[in-house]
């Protein structure tokens, strides 16, 4: 009899462990612990057994009853928890949406800029972020005593080299390897040792443009910049050119777009600080000294070059007043675009 009860116990525990529905669990309870179960029957016969057999059988059947009850309780809790946690299969529940990745707002703006220039006939090219002084400064007619070469603005690398401080390096790399005419844009990351605040970061993004051919003029530059502004910020966008200096262009300008947020009206606008204009970057006609560095004939060819601050364009376009948001990888921010 003792063996029979132990066998009953093993069987009951196995069945309980295999039960996947509460209903089945209840049926097992009735079958194994109910009034008409074999276990109860055995227990009810205890009294009629000889006294010396009673304790052993009593202990075995009592232990079995306790173990089965505990197994039922535990299994029941597990099944309820699974059902509430949604892990039990309910084919009527809506499916889990897979997380979809997307481009960072600065990357998608860089792509948009690239395609604007592609439509104007520019090819999209790339250059290294780790550069040498020659491509970042010397070939761009920036002598060693120029303030831009000051240690405070440039990250110099151990063992020589530096992190490019602008995308103008790509002008040189392209002209070194391509005979004129060239018409390219180069988007990418740049680095400067700036103190980080709402409008400055040590990493920022530019897109460089370069167009060299016979008879390229300042008018071509103005038309190209204007086309960029209108396609980016709308057909009402105005462009303003201000005289400026860059070592690698002559004449040089800085250019502004009319503010797309307040439509150039200023008055309390937080994006243009009330001026109606937003500074984008610099541009100009390629300096003959740059042509000399890459072996282009300055008597035969002219060209224009421009930069555009991608972070800055993104800030005016989306009305963002803190450049740091772009680099913090906070999904609450980047998901909004
Ligand atoms: N490289 C300049 C800068 O980073 C911008 C520029 C590009 C100016 C091309 C003129 C021509 O500020």
């Amino acid at each position: 009899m003792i063996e029979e009860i132990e066998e009953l116990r093993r069987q009951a525990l196995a069945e309980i462990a295999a039960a996947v529905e509460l209903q089945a669990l209840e049926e097992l309870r009735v079958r194994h612990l109910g009034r008409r179960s074999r276990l109860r029957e055995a227990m009810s016969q205890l009294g009629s057994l000889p006294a010396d057999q009673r304790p052993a059988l009593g202990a075995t059947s009592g232990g079995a009853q306790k173990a089965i009850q505990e197994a039922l309780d535990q299994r029941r809790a597990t099944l309820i928890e699974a059902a509430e946690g949604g892990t039990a299969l309910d084919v009527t529940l809506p499916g889990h949406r897979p997380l979809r990745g997307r481009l960072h707002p600065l990357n998608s703006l860089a792509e948009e800029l690239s395609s604007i220039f592609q439509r104007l006939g520019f090819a999209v090219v790339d250059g290294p972020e780790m550069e040498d002084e020659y491509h970042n400064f010397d070939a761009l007619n920036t002598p060693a005593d120029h303030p831009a070469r000051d240690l405070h603005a440039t990250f110099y690398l151990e063992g020589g080299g530096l992190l490019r401080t602008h995308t103008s390096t790509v002008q040189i790399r392209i002209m070194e390897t391509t005979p004129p005419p060239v018409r390219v844009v180069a988007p990418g990351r740049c680095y400067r040792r700036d103190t980080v605040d709402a409008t400055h970061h040590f990493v920022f993004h530019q897109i460089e443009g370069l167009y060299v051919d016979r008879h390229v003029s300042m008018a071509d530059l103005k038309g190209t910049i204007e086309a960029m502004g209108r396609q980016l910020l709308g057909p009402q966008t105005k462009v303003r050119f201000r005289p400026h200096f860059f070592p690698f262009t002559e004449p040089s300008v800085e250019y502004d777009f009319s503010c797309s947020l307040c439509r150039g009206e200023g008055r309390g606008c937080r994006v243009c600080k009330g001026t109606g204009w937003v500074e984008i970057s610099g541009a100009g006609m390629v300096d003959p000294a740059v042509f000399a560095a890459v072996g282009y004939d300055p008597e035969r060819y002219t060209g224009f070059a421009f930069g555009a601050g991608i972070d800055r364009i993104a800030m005016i376009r989306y009305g963002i007043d803190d450049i740091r948001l772009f680099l913090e990888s906070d999904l609450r921010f980047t998901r909004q675009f």
Side-chain angles (χ1 to χ4, degrees), residues 4-14 60 63-64 67-68:
E4 189 200 340
I5 288 170
E6 270 170 353
E7 176 55 31
L8 276 174
R9 169 184 168 149
R10 266 192 297 280
Q11 205 185 321
L13 293 184
T60 307
I68 293 169

Side-chain angles (χ1 to χ4, degrees), residues 86-134:
T87 44
L89 183 64
D90 179 349
V91 294
T92 66
L93 285 173
H96 292 287
R97 251 176 222 282
L99 279 179
R100 260 221 275 160
R102 71 188 82 170
L103 286 179
H104 186 277
L106 291 179
N107 285 336
S108 71
L109 186 56
E111 290 204 347
E112 192 182 330
L113 277 156
S114 297
S115 71
I116 288 174
F117 287 110
Q118 277 173 319
R119 288 196 292 274
L120 294 173
F122 287 77
V124 180
V125 297
D126 204 9
E129 291 173 22
M130 283 168 62
E131 265 294 0
D132 47 48
E133 298 195 38
Y134 179 75

Side-chain angles (χ1 to χ4, degrees), residues 48-332:
S48 57
L49 286 175
D52 61 337
Q53 289 180 24
R54 276 183 224 162
L57 192 65
T60 307
S61 52
Q65 188 185 31
K66 189 161 174 267
I68 293 169
Q69 187 60 57
E70 274 173 13
L72 283 167
D73 291 347
Q74 250 178 39
R75 187 68 190 153
R76 186 180 163 77
T78 306
L79 290 181
I80 289 173
E81 200 180 286
E84 284 172 350
T87 44
L89 183 64
D90 179 349
V91 294
T92 66
L93 285 173
H96 292 287
R97 251 176 222 282
L99 279 179
R100 260 221 275 160
R102 71 188 82 170
L103 286 179
H104 186 277
L106 291 179
N107 285 336
S108 71
L109 186 56
E111 290 204 347
E112 192 182 330
L113 277 156
S114 297
S115 71
I116 288 174
F117 287 110
Q118 277 173 319
R119 288 196 292 274
L120 294 173
F122 287 77
V124 180
V125 297
D126 204 9
E129 291 173 22
M130 283 168 62
E131 265 294 0
D132 47 48
E133 298 195 38
Y134 179 75
H135 289 90
N136 199 81
F137 294 127
D138 301 82
L140 286 162
N141 195 33
T142 309
D145 56 359
H146 193 279
R149 293 188 69 147
D150 191 305
L151 270 166
H152 294 287
T154 307
F155 287 109
Y156 287 95
L157 301 172
E158 264 175 50
L162 47 77
L163 296 178
R164 68 177 177 196
T165 59
H166 52 183
T167 43
S168 299
T169 53
V170 188
Q171 288 184 37
I172 303 301
R173 293 202 170 265
I174 288 297
M175 289 191 282
E176 276 175 344
T177 54
T178 321
V182 295
R183 196 163 12 167
V184 295
V185 287
R189 261 191 287 268
C190 306
Y191 304 84
R192 284 185 202 175
R193 285 179 54 152
D194 272 332
T195 303
V196 176
D197 63 23
T199 53
H200 296 86
H201 208 285
F202 52 84
V203 192
F204 59 101
H205 301 75
Q206 286 187 334
I207 185 165
E208 187 83 7
L210 174 71
Y211 179 22
V212 181
D213 202 344
R214 303 204 64 181
H215 314 301
V216 175
S217 73
M218 190 88 182
D220 297 317
L221 169 64
K222 292 177 78 175
T224 304
I225 299 270
E226 216 165 75
M228 160 167 74
R230 294 197 174 147
Q231 291 191 45
L232 269 181
L233 302 175
Q236 76 295 338
T237 306
K238 294 200 202 59
V239 183
R240 179 171 80 172
F241 296 86
R242 290 175 283 107
H244 199 72
F245 173 80
F246 292 104
F248 37 93
T249 45
E250 180 61 34
S252 302
V253 295
E254 274 191 331
Y255 65 95
D256 310 330
F257 289 159
S258 57
C259 180
S260 58
L261 205 70
C262 64
R263 302 186 166 271
E265 281 172 21
R267 259 183 277 129
C269 177
R270 67 196 163 90
V271 168
C272 64
K273 310 269 183 305
T275 63
W277 296 97
V278 185
E279 184 186 321
I280 303 298
S281 186
M285 300 306 292
V286 179
D287 194 292
V290 173
F291 283 153
V294 297
Y296 277 20
D297 179 359
E299 295 301 324
R300 198 172 154 78
Y301 293 101
T302 54
F304 68 68
F306 61 87
I310 298 177
D311 318 66
R312 203 168 283 172
I313 294 171
M315 288 172 80
I316 27 174
R317 186 165 183 183
Y318 302 121
I320 292 158
D321 52 15
D322 194 331
I323 196 174
R324 290 169 287 199
L325 288 166
F326 288 124
L327 290 144
E328 282 169 355
S329 297
D330 186 337
L331 289 178
R332 289 170 302 181

